[in-house]
Amino acid sequence: MAQPRVPLRRLCGFRPHSLAHCRRPLHSQLQTRWLPPRSLRLVRSASSAAGKHEGYSQKLIGQQLRDEWSKYSQFPKVSKADDFEEGKEVTVHGFLSRRRVKHSKLVFADIQVDNGPAIQITSHFEHVDSPEHLIAKALRAIPLHSPVSVTGTIVKLHGLPTKIRADESEPESSSAAPAGFPTTVSRIDINLESIQPLNAFPKDIIISEGVQFPPSSRHLQIRFSEALRSRLLARPQIGFQMRKTLNDLGFTEVETPILFKSTPEGAREFLVPTRRPNLAYALPQSPQQYKQILMSSGVRKYYQFARCFRDEDLRADRQPEFTQLDLEMSFATGEDVMQAVESLVSKLPASLNAQFTMVKGGDDVYPVPKRGLKAVDDDSAELRWPSLPSPFLRLTYQDAMSRFGVDKPDLRIPFEIRRVGQVLPAQFVSMITDLESPVVEAFRFRPELGAEGDSSAAAAKFVDELMKNLPGPLSRNSDGTPVALVIDSKKPLGGLSSLGFEGSTNLTSGEPNLEDFQDLEDGDVLFFQARENKPFQGGSTALGTVRTLVYHEAVSKGLLPRSFDFKFLWVIDFPMFTPDNEADPGQGGQAGFSATHHPFTAPLTNEDVELLATNPLKARADHYDLVVNGVELGGGSRRIHVAKMQEYVMREILKMTDEGVGQFSHLLEALRAGCPPHAGFALGFDRLVAVFTHTDSVRDVIAFPKSMKGEDLTVKSPGRITKEQLATYHLAFASKK
């Protein structure tokens, strides 16, 4: 009996965009099984019902694939820059980002092109049977946000607004736009002659202003967040300018291996197993040892944008893998390196001002390519990257810790820390701490509360909210929690009654180093904190953390102005060694302390060399950190270039085992081969881009960042390993305790 014939359209269930509409709802992001397009599934089921043989079904599928692929994969090439003149026909590619139907015969739409000019297309027709009507119909039928190829005649070219053009003194812009667009055009108006979809945006993904997608849809967040996309566009331009500067300074770019070996530099490593039993690579914490070997190799000035890997606890400015701009100079001192880095960083503001302008989007401020601007208001046009004074300010580690309570101070904060314990009554000190003979420090915070209302009450409200939400390390500090006193002229002793008459008088008398506490006004807040009377250790004190917290909370609540300045400084003269702690693995020696920076850092002076043998914890290192606005951008040092000195530090001072010292045999051998004096620096490139694009998180300048758990939620890594994979690398699952 013959099988009934099934019409091809029923057999295929074919619709114009069926291949593109894989009906997968946005909320089912955890679903990992890919479903074939509906048209292909219908072919399979229909052919089975009709009893068709396998070959016939596969032939129909092949025909559909060919037709669908031809429709979306064959399109005209984009026009060249020379073609963009008024009256000429051009072709552009981009996303259909906005459509405005003025009336039944007139439609406007925008084409989104990153780093390129704003493009507006116009479709207009007079008669329903005209070719223009078919074009308008096609434009209205394409789903918004779909990639398209557009051909039409240029009606008008709009030049860059004069007020945001690069100054003549600023450097020429690098190629910041896709090839094919003229460099002086900010907007192009085109009369539409044809439009071709290159794929179709699905209807089940809802786009609205300010939409936030889950991390698993990072591709959508990049595409529909102007701030995120603009920061990613600014990142390579910053890298381009830095490469240009380094090349002009005579540096040579050298790539170093990613598959390294495990060495105790100071951070936890990621291991990469091999098929050879008991052998593994380690991903590099930095190219530190390779670049020192290069100095012994005769490479005079080295640099590299290096990928680095550290298995550390994560936070907003830290990722398990990150990009670092590494450089090293032979026959050089730390002074030479700091001058080179200042030159490198100081050229960035002019370069960014030539290519981008900062715009405000809600509470966010971010760069937008000038040629992609639709409109620039006066406020946005005034937001420019400020020039950087040279040389940068320098502070010793001791000064930074005593004045700001942190080794990466934010100089925008308009108040400093002072020691006040010498003028405070013992009764007050005993109220704020149980320590014997503590150091008591304080700072004055003056919020901008305006002339109206009760300023003391407003300040007290701010303090109450702040103290209720103190981070755990501050609220549970064994040295005592911070204490805040609000100045209020209506209260006894102006709000300082807990200090007593003598204490409040001594504090406000204007003694040397206590001038900050003179001329107190209603609404001023004094913060006090005690700490142990011992040399500074680590990166911050409790009061230093409070100072930073108060500033950021005040800015967020409008009690202090937000600053867009860059306050760069060098922090120098760090301790060469730091007592061991539970957070950092150090170098694994038995001395009870480890290198503050890394074990290759040279002592600062001859006196510090002598201290290595008598009191290593008092020795200072020739180590320098670059800091801006409370962010440590990078650090460097002069290196130990003499093999005997390097081995002495490892073996006799850090008390590393023979095996531990042996892990650095390659470096010791390179130093022994007449290695010249050298110094270097490593700059956190992700952090630098974050600072210059005004965001607090490096995740905003990385296309696919890791979560706080070190997971890539877009591709769902790390993945579970199988028994077969373990067997390949001679490993086994750990037994559960």
Side-chain angles (χ1 to χ4, degrees):
M1 181 176 178
Q3 296 291 339
R5 299 184 64 184
V6 181
L8 181 60
R9 61 179 179 273
R10 285 184 54 197
L11 190 63
C12 298
F14 184 78
R15 295 180 302 170
H17 303 299
S18 57
L19 267 177
H21 287 281
C22 177
R23 297 288 184 178
R24 188 178 180 208
L26 191 60
H27 65 266
S28 63
Q29 296 293 336
L30 297 180
Q31 180 180 347
T32 58
R33 182 174 65 88
W34 181 81
L35 295 178
R38 181 173 179 268
S39 58
L40 299 190
R41 283 180 277 153
L42 286 176
V43 164
R44 290 166 185 160
S45 60
S47 63
S48 176
K52 298 298 182 182
H53 56 78
E54 183 71 17
Y56 181 58
S57 173
Q58 293 301 321
K59 183 177 180 181
L60 290 177
I61 293 175
Q63 291 174 350
Q64 288 187 62
L65 288 173
R66 181 195 62 196
D67 294 342
E68 195 80 359
W69 180 251
S70 297
K71 179 174 62 176
Y72 286 148
S73 65
Q74 297 179 6
F75 49 90
K77 291 183 178 180
V78 69
S79 299
K80 298 180 180 180
D82 295 341
D83 297 331
F84 283 82
E85 296 180 5
E86 293 182 6
K88 278 194 173 184
E89 183 181 274
V90 294
T91 296
V92 296
H93 302 154
F95 292 100
L96 185 64
S97 63
R98 188 166 167 242
R99 185 166 46 214
R100 302 172 298 287
V101 180
K102 293 301 182 180
H103 52 74
S104 61
K105 296 182 179 181
L106 180 62
V107 181
F108 295 99
D110 294 337
I111 305 299
Q112 175 190 322
V113 181
D114 278 340
N115 267 356
I119 297 174
Q120 177 179 275
I121 59 175
T122 304
S123 177
H124 178 261
F125 67 92
E126 296 293 340
H127 308 289
V128 294
D129 56 350
S130 64
E132 290 80 8
H133 174 244
L134 296 178
I135 296 171
K137 189 175 180 180
L139 172 61
R140 297 177 69 166
I142 298 173
L144 280 179
H145 316 301
S146 298
V148 294
S149 174
V150 169
T151 299
T153 301
I154 296 178
V155 177
K156 188 171 184 180
L157 297 175
H158 302 262
L160 281 172
T162 303
K163 59 185 175 184
I164 63 169
R165 289 182 185 272
D167 295 336
E168 292 182 0
S169 59
E170 293 178 338
E172 292 183 3
S173 168
S174 64
S175 179
F181 290 107
T183 58
T184 58
V185 173
S186 65
R187 176 179 154 184
I188 303 173
D189 294 340
I190 297 175
N191 268 343
L192 184 64
E193 296 175 3
S194 69
I195 183 168
Q196 177 183 349
L198 306 180
N199 208 331
F201 193 79
K203 295 179 180 179
D204 54 13
I205 300 178
I206 308 302
I207 305 300
S208 59
E209 186 175 356
V211 61
Q212 292 294 317
F213 294 96
S216 55
S217 296
R218 181 71 170 179
H219 59 292
L220 293 175
Q221 194 64 48
I222 293 173
R223 185 163 158 193
F224 293 104
S225 170
E226 183 181 47
L228 175 58
R229 191 172 63 256
S230 294
R231 289 187 171 107
L232 293 179
L233 293 174
R235 179 184 175 113
Q237 300 308 316
I238 294 174
F240 173 87
Q241 177 60 52
M242 300 184 90
R243 272 194 166 91
K244 182 177 183 300
T245 301
L246 287 168
N247 289 331
D248 292 344
L249 292 175
F251 282 79
T252 300
E253 184 171 12
V254 181
E255 293 184 353
T256 57
I258 291 295
L259 294 176
F260 186 45
K261 62 180 286 188
S262 178
T263 58
E265 288 188 38
R268 292 184 181 88
E269 302 165 318
F270 290 100
L271 297 180
V272 182
T274 72
R275 291 177 293 167
R276 300 171 64 188
N278 303 321
L279 293 178
Y281 297 106
L283 300 180
Q285 303 173 33
S286 76
Q288 178 63 42
Q289 296 176 59
Y290 278 120
K291 67 181 182 180
Q292 288 192 247
I293 294 173
L294 284 172
M295 297 300 100
S296 188
S297 305
V299 176
R300 188 102 178 196
K301 293 181 178 181
Y302 144 94
Y303 84 93
Q304 177 185 194
F305 282 85
R307 296 295 288 172
C308 303
F309 307 85
R310 297 178 188 176
D311 189 6
E312 300 176 312
D313 295 332
L314 305 181
R315 51 179 184 254
D317 62 347
R318 183 178 291 175
Q319 287 275 289
E321 60 174 313
F322 55 93
T323 301
Q324 184 170 284
L325 174 55
D326 238 74
L327 58 91
E328 198 81 9
M329 302 169 62
S330 62
F331 302 99
T333 65
E335 183 69 32
D336 299 319
V337 172
M338 286 189 279
Q339 290 180 10
V341 172
E342 287 187 18
S343 176
L344 182 68
V345 173
S346 297
K347 294 182 183 299
L348 292 178
S351 175
L352 287 169
N353 282 323
Q355 301 174 58
F356 298 88
T357 190
M358 285 188 285
V359 300
K360 294 181 179 179
D363 295 332
D364 200 3
V365 174
Y366 54 90
V368 171
K370 287 183 175 180
R371 291 189 295 136
L373 292 175
K374 298 175 183 176
V376 180
D377 58 41
D378 292 337
D379 292 337
S380 295
E382 293 175 359
L383 290 175
R384 296 172 61 84
W385 284 268
S387 59
L388 303 179
S390 184
F392 296 163
L393 175 70
R394 297 188 186 185
L395 286 177
T396 66
Y397 170 79
Q398 294 294 328
D399 284 345
M401 293 295 288
S402 61
R403 291 173 57 185
F404 308 106
V406 64
D407 64 358
K408 44 181 180 293
D410 188 343
L411 299 184
R412 298 172 303 172
I413 303 178
F415 38 87
E416 295 186 16
I417 293 173
R418 308 295 183 194
R419 292 186 67 158
V420 297
Q422 68 276 14
V423 301
L424 298 178
Q427 182 179 1
F428 176 76
V429 174
S430 65
M431 290 169 54
I432 67 173
T433 184
D434 294 329
L435 296 173
E436 293 186 9
S437 303
V439 172
V440 180
E441 298 169 317
F443 65 82
R444 183 199 69 187
F445 162 56
R446 176 169 289 174
E448 297 183 2
L449 298 168
E452 299 181 0
D454 189 338
S455 57
S456 298
K461 180 181 178 182
F462 169 78
V463 170
D464 287 342
E465 293 179 1
L466 180 79
M467 302 302 280
K468 288 178 182 177
N469 297 290
L470 281 178
L474 293 177
S475 61
R476 297 189 297 270
N477 185 3
S478 59
D479 295 344
T481 57
V483 173
L485 302 179
V486 179
I487 302 302
D488 187 346
S489 58
K490 298 188 294 296
K491 293 184 178 181
L493 295 179
L496 299 179
S497 58
S498 56
L499 302 182
F501 177 79
E502 183 178 358
S504 61
T505 301
N506 291 340
L507 182 65
T508 59
S509 62
E511 290 187 11
N513 297 322
L514 296 182
E515 293 86 355
D516 292 352
F517 304 102
Q518 283 185 296
D519 303 324
L520 296 177
E521 301 176 357
D522 281 0
D524 285 356
V525 185
L526 308 186
F527 286 89
F528 298 85
Q529 176 72 59
R531 62 177 175 84
E532 287 189 84
N533 189 4
K534 63 180 183 181
F536 291 115
Q537 295 179 2
S540 64
T541 65
L543 192 60
T545 304
V546 172
R547 173 179 175 270
T548 303
L549 179 65
V550 168
Y551 173 73
H552 287 292
E553 286 295 312
V555 170
S556 68
K557 296 182 182 302
L559 301 180
L560 286 177
R562 182 177 179 183
S563 171
F564 296 101
D565 290 338
F566 295 127
K567 300 291 187 179
F568 278 89
L569 75 150
W570 291 104
V571 179
I572 59 176
D573 298 0
F574 282 83
M576 194 165 178
F577 304 104
T578 302
D580 289 339
N581 56 65
E582 296 180 357
D584 301 313
Q587 287 78 47
Q590 302 301 315
F593 53 82
S594 56
T596 301
H597 188 40
H598 53 53
F600 321 119
T601 302
L604 182 62
T605 65
N606 288 335
E607 289 75 13
D608 295 296
V609 174
E610 294 180 5
L611 284 171
L612 294 180
T614 59
N615 194 344
L617 287 177
K618 286 190 175 181
R620 295 168 300 164
D622 195 351
H623 170 186
Y624 33 86
D625 278 356
L626 181 63
V627 176
V628 58
N629 298 356
V631 177
E632 177 193 331
L633 285 184
S637 66
R638 181 166 57 93
R639 322 300 190 187
I640 298 173
H641 70 287
V642 178
K644 288 184 178 180
M645 170 69 84
Q646 183 65 82
E647 186 170 356
Y648 179 83
V649 169
M650 292 178 175
R651 194 180 300 277
E652 304 299 332
I653 298 178
L654 294 174
K655 306 295 183 184
M656 295 172 62
T657 63
D658 290 344
E659 182 182 1
V661 176
Q663 290 177 303
F664 296 101
S665 60
H666 54 278
L667 178 61
L668 294 173
E669 190 63 25
L671 299 181
R672 191 176 71 86
C675 183
H678 56 282
F681 188 77
L683 188 148
F685 185 63
D686 306 306
R687 292 184 185 180
L688 176 78
V689 177
V691 167
F692 272 93
T693 58
H694 300 288
T695 178
D696 295 328
S697 175
V698 296
R699 295 184 184 88
D700 294 335
V701 298
I702 298 174
F704 300 101
K706 300 291 192 294
S707 71
M708 293 297 288
K709 294 182 179 180
E711 299 171 331
D712 185 334
L713 297 176
T714 303
V715 300
K716 299 176 178 60
S717 70
R720 293 190 178 276
I721 54 179
T722 65
K723 291 182 179 180
E724 292 75 16
Q725 290 172 318
L726 286 171
T728 300
Y729 297 109
H730 307 282
L731 302 172
F733 285 117
S735 60
K736 295 182 179 180
K737 295 182 179 180

